[in-house]
Amino acid sequence: MRIQWLLAVFVLLGVAAAAQQATGLVNTNLIRTVSLANLPYVMEQIGVVVQNDHSSKVFKTYTLPAVDALPLSSQQAFERKSGVELNIVDGKAVLKKPLQPGEKLSINVERVLYTGAMPVGRVGQTEDQVWEWPAQMVSSVYPIRKQKTVVSVPGEIKQHVNATVEGRKATFVAPGVIRFKANGVQLMATYRREYFVSHWANDLNILDHYDMRSLAPQPRASFDKVSQLMAKFMKTRDNFVKTLLVKVPREAREMYVVDEIGNVSTSLVASAREEFKVMQLRPRYPMLGGWNYTWWHGYSVPLTGYLRTEGTKYRLRVPFMGSIAGCAESQDQLTVAMAEARNTLVSQYELRVVLPEGAHDVSVRAAPTGDIRLVPLKYYLDSTGRTVVVVEARNVAPGMADQDVLVEYEYPGWALWQKPMVVGGVVFVLFMLASLVNRLHLGLATREAGIKS
Ligand SMILES: *[C@@H]1O[C@H](CO)[C@@H](O)[C@H](O)[C@H]1NC(C)=O
Ligand SMILES: *[C@@H]1O[C@H](CO)[C@@H](O)[C@H](O)[C@H]1NC(C)=O
Ligand SMILES: *[C@@H]1O[C@H](CO)[C@@H](O)[C@H](O)[C@H]1NC(C)=O
């Protein structure tokens, strides 16, 4: 009887061991480090030690640990020891060298996520903004032997559940939650940029259209002008976004800003650095949590700085998108450096490059991200129409404003004359028609005159 029991236990153990072996890879230790210092973006790093526990199987790929329900904006994987970046295909990192039975490998995964923290309650005009971040444990298709999550926040931690808190750091080994103070501006935009290329005028016209929303907690009471003025006077902070800082190229000219009501007042500040200027745009009303503001602005730059040519082939290199930052500071506290704050996330982005009429064999040689398509467009006074390069992207990662998009096209010399010729032709025909009509009129007039006399 005893022996039969023992046998049964052995068999069960054997089955369990086989099950373990079948999985093969094991995450022996996993540490996730999350930074909420740059909200609304969440920066996350997962360092994991992967072991091949299988007796014979060799692994060429590693399925990356699962992300929270948050939208993923970018993801990279590296071999920790060598720092070599690993290709990611369908959520699997392709290993540089297959992992043999018994071998271990350390992998770092770096991610940028969106809107990680939720505002808590409503907030008074000058009160602290409090945010909540739910800590979930990392999940994986492979067993995880040990894991922890370390979160750093920009302000005081006010409440926590299942966390060990030390200053502005909270450590979790089980699901939990923290509430913390974060008074920085957080904005979210739907953004469209259009480039109009004109060889004829040596002009690159740029138009930026924004639908902007403040992600701050909703205001507790209705807008209180007195408290706002007090806050301004006392130079204490408040929860209103009063200025939007837009970086524009140094050579930008003919700048304008228009919203649904009309022109918006702006001012320009030259930066200490040579490459850009900063436009200070003041929305018609300060933006409170949940409030929207919609506007567009535009300017021109000389095309020559962005276009290279080889015979009839043209190469246009332009920034993938523009850069914008919101500020709650009062006017006299603004600095150029604030324009570099990455506090505005772009949930939906559309880039449109309108090429000159006659441009053909269009190809997009490089776009940092997004779905690319070419669409035809008939523009004012066009005869044959033109091609528009459209790139659409969602949850755009911060830093995309520093990347370029490269468009190549053929553009024959005569195309430059296409519009003036067509326009000239039309004007000539109209002129001929007008003189014909005139003649008819004159004829009638003389005949009438003839009858009268
Ligand atoms: C805290 O941890 C316990 C045990 O793991 C769990 O049951 C509970 O749901 C956790 N609380 C939160 C808020 O996640
Ligand atoms: C808006 O600005 C443009 C250019 O600065 C100017 O020509 C136009 O008259 C302004 N419109 C209004 C309504 O102020
Ligand atoms: C603000 O914008 C959001 C997202 O674009 C939209 O869902 C919401 O209805 C807008 N609110 C107002 C008051 O316009």
Side-chain angles (χ1 to χ4, degrees):
M1 215 43 185
R2 283 265 163 85
I3 284 166
Q4 272 169 331
W5 260 105
L6 269 177
L7 270 177
V9 167
F10 274 127
V11 167
L12 276 177
L13 278 178
V15 168
Q20 181 97 35
Q21 269 200 348
T23 55
L25 292 184
V26 174
N27 299 295
T28 57
N29 194 10
L30 188 152
I31 298 172
R32 176 195 189 204
T33 316
V34 181
S35 167
L36 303 179
N38 300 297
L39 287 174
Y41 292 104
V42 177
M43 315 290 177
E44 171 177 288
Q45 198 210 49
I46 295 174
V48 61
V49 181
V50 187
Q51 188 171 314
N52 183 354
D53 266 3
H54 203 276
S55 56
S56 56
K57 219 166 151 188
V58 167
F59 288 88
K60 292 187 179 138
T61 61
Y62 169 74
T63 303
L64 296 173
V67 197
D68 296 348
L70 299 177
L72 183 66
S73 144
S74 70
Q75 169 166 267
Q76 285 174 295
F78 302 90
E79 257 185 16
R80 190 183 306 163
K81 214 163 167 191
S82 62
V84 171
E85 185 167 355
L86 303 174
N87 278 335
I88 299 176
V89 181
D90 295 333
K92 292 185 174 89
V94 180
L95 305 180
K96 286 285 156 208
K97 190 162 71 66
L99 201 59
Q100 305 293 334
E103 273 187 345
K104 269 187 188 176
L105 180 68
S106 295
I107 293 175
N108 280 349
V109 184
E110 282 173 21
R111 288 179 173 143
V112 180
L113 307 167
Y114 258 70
T115 51
M118 303 300 293
V120 175
R122 291 179 171 252
V123 73
Q125 249 162 247
T126 55
E127 284 173 6
D128 286 335
Q129 299 179 22
V130 178
W131 302 79
E132 181 173 289
W133 190 77
Q136 267 139 26
M137 292 293 98
V138 178
S139 60
S140 169
V141 297
Y142 318 114
I144 302 177
R145 293 236 171 100
K146 203 172 138 198
Q147 72 162 305
K148 71 172 178 185
T149 291
V150 182
V151 188
S152 56
V153 296
E156 185 199 338
I157 296 178
K158 304 233 177 217
Q159 280 173 300
H160 53 90
V161 180
N162 287 353
T164 313
V165 169
E166 240 191 284
R168 293 181 177 180
K169 266 201 173 112
T171 305
F172 295 89
V173 289
V177 64
I178 44 168
R179 287 185 168 184
F180 59 96
K181 185 179 110 177
N183 285 334
V185 167
Q186 295 187 45
L187 296 166
M188 185 183 221
T190 300
Y191 171 28
R192 187 178 75 236
R193 165 167 278 207
E194 297 187 351
Y195 289 103
F196 292 90
V197 179
S198 170
H199 287 222
W200 173 248
N202 179 28
D203 185 74
L204 179 65
N205 193 262
I206 297 158
L207 178 75
D208 283 333
H209 186 283
Y210 279 98
D211 270 315
M212 188 73 90
R213 187 157 56 98
S214 168
L215 296 175
Q218 305 246 329
R220 173 166 299 148
S222 58
F223 186 76
D224 177 359
K225 197 85 188 168
V226 176
S227 308
Q228 194 210 357
L229 283 173
M230 283 283 281
K232 197 169 177 181
F233 184 70
M234 307 285 288
K235 293 227 185 313
T236 52
R237 57 160 294 282
D238 62 39
N239 290 315
F240 303 134
V241 177
K242 299 171 212 75
T243 313
L244 297 160
L245 299 177
V246 183
K247 274 163 78 175
V248 294
R250 186 144 206 101
E251 68 275 20
R253 51 183 156 75
E254 292 158 38
M255 204 172 304
Y256 64 92
V257 183
V258 180
D259 68 7
E260 282 142 339
I261 298 174
N263 286 354
V264 181
S265 72
T266 59
S267 52
L268 256 184
V269 196
S271 80
R273 304 222 312 264
E274 291 297 303
E275 320 89 83
F276 64 90
K277 296 188 275 199
V278 175
M279 181 174 75
Q280 301 182 354
L281 191 161
R282 275 177 293 288
R284 229 164 260 284
Y285 42 84
M287 288 166 74
L288 288 78
W291 286 28
N292 292 352
Y293 187 59
T294 297
W295 81 97
W296 61 96
H297 61 254
Y299 50 87
S300 278
V301 290
L303 180 61
T304 36
Y306 299 85
L307 196 67
R308 295 281 167 274
T309 163
E310 270 168 37
T312 55
K313 182 165 234 143
Y314 286 82
R315 205 167 278 144
L316 179 75
R317 184 188 286 279
V318 287
F320 180 63
M321 64 196 300
S323 141
I324 192 164
C327 290
E329 278 75 9
S330 61
Q331 205 59 33
D332 49 350
Q333 292 171 303
L334 293 174
T335 65
V336 167
M338 287 176 185
E340 312 245 275
R342 285 174 176 167
N343 57 22
T344 306
L345 51 83
V346 177
S347 57
Q348 260 177 298
Y349 178 60
E350 183 177 322
L351 168 71
R352 294 172 70 86
V353 184
V354 184
L355 297 174
E357 204 178 8
H360 58 95
D361 287 330
V362 179
S363 63
V364 180
R365 295 305 298 265
T369 182
D371 298 326
I372 303 165
R373 63 203 158 88
L374 302 179
V375 294
L377 172 79
K378 272 262 175 138
Y379 199 53
Y380 186 58
L381 287 182
D382 277 358
S383 47
T384 49
R386 42 187 96 205
T387 303
V388 186
V389 175
V390 180
V391 184
E392 280 177 302
R394 298 178 74 85
N395 305 332
V396 184
M400 282 302 161
D402 304 331
Q403 309 257 338
D404 288 338
V405 59
L406 184 63
V407 179
E408 276 189 0
Y409 54 90
E410 291 277 341
Y411 187 68
W414 56 261
L416 203 55
W417 299 96
Q418 188 173 349
K419 181 178 272 180
M421 295 273 276
V422 171
V423 172
V426 169
V427 168
F428 181 72
V429 169
L430 283 178
F431 175 77
M432 291 302 282
L433 276 174
S435 26
L436 261 176
V437 169
N438 232 354
R439 266 171 201 228
L440 277 174
H441 265 289
L442 278 178
L444 279 175
T446 41
R447 213 181 294 159
E448 273 173 23
I451 291 164
K452 261 190 198 153
S453 59

